[in-house]
Amino acid sequence: MGHVVMQAAEFSTVAAAEQAAAELRRLVADYVTYEETADAPWSEGAVPAPLVEFGRRHGVPWPGDATSRFMLKGLFNDEANVLSVDRLVFFWGGLELGAGGSAPRGRLP
């Protein structure tokens, strides 16, 4: 069972917010490509390459096990949303967190 999870952040400048929103849109676009081209994009235990790459670009060594992944209830193209309003950036969708939905519901681990 998934939940709609919304993450929001306020930045010190509009430019910083726009940059963050652009990074999230890139993550969504990378996931869309991944879903379209991977043989088994949501195979059990797999951590999608776009998530690992997103972490690498931002200096976060993303763990390679199933508890460190997240999935949308549908396809990223249909479910992931990014909105930038002035210095605020919102990122949301119907998310499944962790392996087999074992992560706490309603919040990111």
Side-chain angles (χ1 to χ4, degrees):
M1 179 180 198
H3 297 272
V4 173
V5 176
M6 178 180 278
Q7 298 294 308
E10 182 176 11
F11 293 85
S12 59
T13 66
V14 171
E18 289 172 349
Q19 182 179 359
E23 282 294 317
L24 288 170
R25 286 186 186 102
R26 178 178 175 185
L27 174 64
V28 171
D30 289 349
Y31 257 102
V32 169
T33 299
Y34 174 75
E35 288 175 333
E36 291 173 347
T37 60
D39 289 335
W42 302 115
S43 60
E44 190 169 328
V47 179
L51 191 54
V52 175
E53 177 59 23
F54 180 79
R56 188 195 62 73
R57 282 195 312 269
H58 297 284
V60 177
W62 206 271
D65 60 35
T67 61
S68 67
R69 69 187 192 153
F70 66 88
M71 297 183 296
L72 290 175
K73 291 173 67 177
L75 296 174
F76 257 73
N77 194 40
D78 300 326
E79 298 288 338
N81 298 280
V82 178
L83 175 66
S84 180
V85 180
D86 295 322
R87 295 182 303 122
L88 298 172
V89 176
F90 302 89
F91 177 62
W92 77 96
L95 298 173
E96 293 288 339
L97 304 172
S102 62
R105 296 293 186 196
R107 60 189 169 102
L108 290 174

